[in-house]
Amino acid sequence: MTIVMGIIMHAGNAKALAHEALEAAKAHEFIKADNFMQESNKALTQAHNVQSDLLTKEAQGEHTDINLYMVHAQDHLMNAITYQDLIKEMIVLYRKQTN
């Protein structure tokens, strides 16, 4: 359960920080937006590292039980990745708008 909660927590933080970056970009505060995206990337990396540890253990023969909680955690991670990708593109558009 600790592993699942780690993925959910870090992925949720990554998504929330990406949203903060979007809000900063809307206000044309691009340095602030960049800082939020850097923090979002760090949180996403933490979530991804937890997932990578699971994959490594699986490859080494240490099976992890898959349950609804694990599926939910993976869902959070994939949503955070997708959301962050979308926010990056939106920030580029906001930057172009100011030029």
Side-chain angles (χ1 to χ4, degrees):
M1 188 57 80
T2 303
I3 292 168
V4 167
M5 293 311 293
I7 293 172
I8 291 171
M9 179 187 67
H10 294 305
N13 288 343
K15 188 175 174 188
L17 287 161
H19 187 77
E20 291 294 326
L22 176 61
E23 292 301 316
K26 283 181 186 179
H28 304 283
E29 297 175 350
F30 296 110
I31 293 172
K32 197 173 183 180
D34 291 342
N35 289 337
F36 278 124
M37 285 307 294
Q38 286 176 358
E39 291 302 311
S40 177
N41 285 331
K42 288 178 189 176
L44 193 59
T45 297
Q46 289 175 306
H48 192 263
N49 286 344
V50 174
Q51 181 190 46
S52 294
D53 288 344
L54 286 173
L55 292 170
T56 299
K57 288 177 183 176
E58 189 74 31
Q60 294 170 341
E62 187 179 324
H63 180 69
T64 301
D65 290 331
I66 304 300
N67 56 36
L68 189 55
Y69 294 115
M70 182 61 73
V71 172
H72 184 65
Q74 294 298 313
D75 205 23
H76 269 274
L77 178 56
M78 292 308 302
N79 280 323
I81 292 168
T82 302
Y83 191 75
Q84 193 185 66
D85 288 343
L86 180 60
I87 297 306
K88 286 176 186 175
E89 292 301 317
M90 292 178 76
I91 290 171
V92 168
L93 293 174
Y94 278 113
R95 282 185 203 276
K96 286 182 180 181
Q97 199 177 43
T98 61
N99 293 332

